[in-house]
């Protein structure tokens, strides 16, 4: 507007060219106005920051030095997971070493002392038999860590696979390994289960036995658990019938899906190893007479089934036991799971009448005295009564 007025004034004074001269849009645009406030504030803040740093320089320098010294003097963090993994690997190594040493020691005869050099170094003064012992199934068992610096292996069963049944270590890296093996002095001598203890030093993957194997007693046997199957079921009971049909399909051959619950992850053994699977006893964890006559879907019972299985090779029948969970569906019992272990009672538990539960045979799950809550009809149907 101001420019236009000026041009009109100049035209009135005799300058018509001012009205005819074209103007570019850039010339007509208003002049840009710049705000220098932010730049000024940044300059002030930077100045204040520099002054603060100069003022607090000695204090900040001392604080930084103290923090650096603290970090340098702190111990490095220890990974519990990596330490546990390393200890497990170390135990596996010493168990295998001790097992090999025991086998070599038992099978080395007079004049073959050099066979023991890789394990114990010097075998000076060692007395060896003229005939090697016979050794079977020497192998380490699985292991699990225990309190402190000790790591314990699974206890080997005297009738199971020979194993390094126990291993523990102290802080010095020395392990004490107990090896189990089946041995016989001669071909005509009976085979027996023996246990030998070996101290093994471990350092950075290198191992050496600190002494010759020492025969020791077998690990102590744990007290038998008290099983929860306190009630015998008649072999004609639907629970027993469902259990028998399941074992027949599982062991002898058949359609196992007919007798298991939908979704149950159970498959029949293929090829079937037995020709006959005859149920001898079925025990349950609750009184079947107290269940409703019309079974609701989802009703469960836990059973322990004892059966006799006859192999196809006619090598002789043997007893087998299955801990099963049965679930009701559409008025019938179906096997919903093959339990990994039998159900057990808590220590010193009491039954519903208040009387103390009797001890239960871990082999059959049968109490030496039937609980007072068992019906007479069930007692008479039990093969043990």
């Amino acid at each position: 507007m101001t420019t236009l007025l000026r041009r009109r004034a100049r035209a009135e004074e005799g300058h018509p060219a001012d009205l005819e001269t074209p103007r570019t849009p850039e010339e007509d645009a208003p002049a840009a106005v710049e705000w220098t406030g932010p730049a000024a504030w940044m300059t002030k803040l930077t100045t204040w920051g520099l002054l603060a740093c100069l003022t607090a320089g000695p204090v900040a320098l001392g604080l930084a030095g103290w923090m650096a010294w603290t970090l340098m003097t702190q111990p490095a963090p220890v990974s519990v997971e990596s330490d546990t993994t390393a200890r497990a690997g170390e135990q596996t190594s010493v168990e295998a070493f001790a097992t090999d040493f025991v086998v070599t020691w038992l099978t080395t005869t007079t004049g073959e002392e050099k066979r023991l050099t890789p394990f114990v170094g010097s075998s000076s003064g060692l007395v060896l038999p003229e005939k090697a012992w016979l050794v079977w199934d020497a192998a380490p068992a699985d292991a699990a860590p225990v309190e402190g610096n000790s790591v314990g292996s699974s206890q080997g069963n005297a009738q199971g696979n020979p194993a390094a049944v126990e291993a523990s270590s102290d802080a010095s890296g020395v392990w004490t390994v107990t090896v189990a093996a089946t041995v016989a002095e001669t071909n005509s001598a009976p085979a027996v289960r023996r246990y030998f203890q070996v101290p093994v030093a471990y350092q950075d993957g290198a191992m050496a036995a600190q002494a010759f194997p020492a025969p020791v007693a077998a690990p102590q046997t744990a007290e038998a658990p008290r099983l929860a199957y306190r009630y015998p079921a008649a072999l004609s009971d639907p629970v027993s019938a469902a259990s028998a049909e399941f074992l027949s399909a599982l062991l002898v051959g058949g359609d196992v899906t007919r007798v298991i619950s939908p979704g149950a992850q159970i498959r029949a053994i293929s090829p079937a190893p037995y020709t006959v699977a005859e149920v001898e006893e079925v025990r349950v964890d609750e009184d079947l007479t107290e269940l409703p006559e019309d079974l609701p879907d989802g009703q469960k019972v836990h059973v322990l089934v004892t059966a006799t299985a006859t192999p196809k090779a006619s090598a002789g029948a043997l007893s087998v036991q299955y801990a099963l969970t049965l679930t009701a569906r559409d008025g019938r019992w179906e096997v919903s799971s093959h339990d990994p272990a039998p159900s057990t009672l808590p220590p010193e538990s009491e039954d519903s009448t208040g009387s103390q539960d009797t001890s239960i045979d871990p082999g059959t799950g049968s109490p030496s005295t039937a609980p007072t809550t068992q019906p007479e009809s069930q007692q008479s149907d039990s093969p043990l009564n």
Side-chain angles (χ1 to χ4, degrees):
M1 177 65 72
T2 302
T3 302
L4 182 60
L5 293 176
R6 287 177 180 176
R7 290 171 60 186
R8 288 180 176 177
R10 289 176 60 85
E12 293 174 354
E13 294 176 1
H15 300 280
D18 291 336
L19 292 175
E20 299 175 358
T21 303
R23 304 288 293 182
T24 63
E26 289 77 7
E27 291 176 334
D28 290 334
V33 179
E34 295 183 0
W35 182 46
T36 59
W41 275 106
M42 291 299 298
T43 302
K44 292 181 180 180
L45 289 175
T46 303
T47 304
W48 293 343
L50 290 174
L51 292 175
C53 291
L54 291 175
T55 304
V59 178
L61 181 62
L63 179 61
W66 176 80
M67 293 178 63
W69 178 83
T70 303
L71 293 175
M72 293 176 62
T73 55
Q74 285 183 347
V78 178
S79 173
V80 176
E81 182 177 359
S82 61
D83 183 67
T84 302
T85 302
R87 296 293 287 176
E90 181 177 332
Q91 178 173 345
T92 301
S93 299
V94 298
E95 285 185 338
F97 178 87
T99 302
D100 291 342
F101 181 32
V102 168
V103 172
T104 305
W105 173 68
L106 289 171
T107 57
T108 299
T109 59
T110 302
E112 299 179 329
E113 288 81 2
K114 290 184 178 180
R115 293 183 61 199
L116 301 175
T117 302
F119 299 97
V120 75
S122 175
S123 57
S124 176
L126 177 63
V127 177
L128 296 171
E130 295 183 359
K131 293 184 178 181
W133 286 46
L134 302 177
V135 184
W136 294 274
D137 302 327
D142 293 334
V146 295
E147 294 183 2
N149 292 321
S150 297
V151 181
S153 293
S154 302
Q155 297 297 313
N157 188 306
Q159 300 301 325
N161 289 332
V165 297
E166 183 178 352
S168 61
S169 97
D170 55 28
S172 64
V174 177
W175 292 73
T176 300
V177 183
T178 302
V179 177
T182 301
V183 301
E185 297 181 21
T186 63
N187 289 328
S188 59
V192 294
R193 196 69 169 171
R194 294 286 177 82
Y195 299 84
F196 307 91
Q197 191 176 83
V198 183
V200 180
Y202 181 96
Q203 183 177 5
D204 298 330
M207 290 165 284
Q210 292 188 325
F212 299 130
V216 294
Q220 186 176 1
T221 303
E223 183 179 355
R226 304 171 67 244
L227 303 184
Y229 310 97
R230 298 179 291 172
Y231 302 90
L235 296 182
S236 59
D237 189 274
V239 168
S240 300
S243 301
E245 187 177 358
F246 168 76
L247 288 187
S248 179
L250 181 73
L251 303 176
V252 180
D255 185 8
V256 73
T257 60
R258 294 179 58 254
V259 290
I260 64 175
S261 301
Q265 301 298 318
I266 304 175
R267 296 182 301 161
I269 302 175
S270 180
Y274 302 100
T275 58
V276 177
E278 184 177 357
V279 172
E280 303 291 343
E281 182 186 35
V282 177
R283 302 193 68 87
V284 295
D285 64 342
E286 60 181 295
D287 190 349
L288 296 179
T289 62
E290 296 181 358
L291 297 180
E293 184 175 352
D294 295 330
L295 291 173
D297 287 353
Q299 177 72 51
K300 294 181 181 295
V301 293
H302 303 281
V303 304
L304 182 66
V305 184
T306 303
T308 300
T310 304
K312 290 185 176 181
S314 300
L318 71 161
S319 294
V320 296
Q321 283 188 319
Y322 284 82
L324 306 174
T325 298
L326 274 64
T327 304
R329 185 173 71 96
D330 295 335
R332 63 188 293 262
W333 291 106
E334 297 174 333
V335 176
S336 53
S337 72
H338 175 196
D339 303 333
S343 301
T344 58
L345 293 172
E348 300 181 356
S349 65
E350 296 185 356
D351 60 21
S352 58
T353 62
S355 60
Q356 188 70 25
D357 285 327
T358 58
S359 61
I360 297 178
D361 184 351
T364 63
S366 304
S368 56
T369 302
T372 57
T373 56
Q374 288 188 5
E376 293 295 331
S377 59
Q378 285 190 335
Q379 294 184 23
S380 61
D381 287 331
S382 173
L384 300 182
N385 294 326

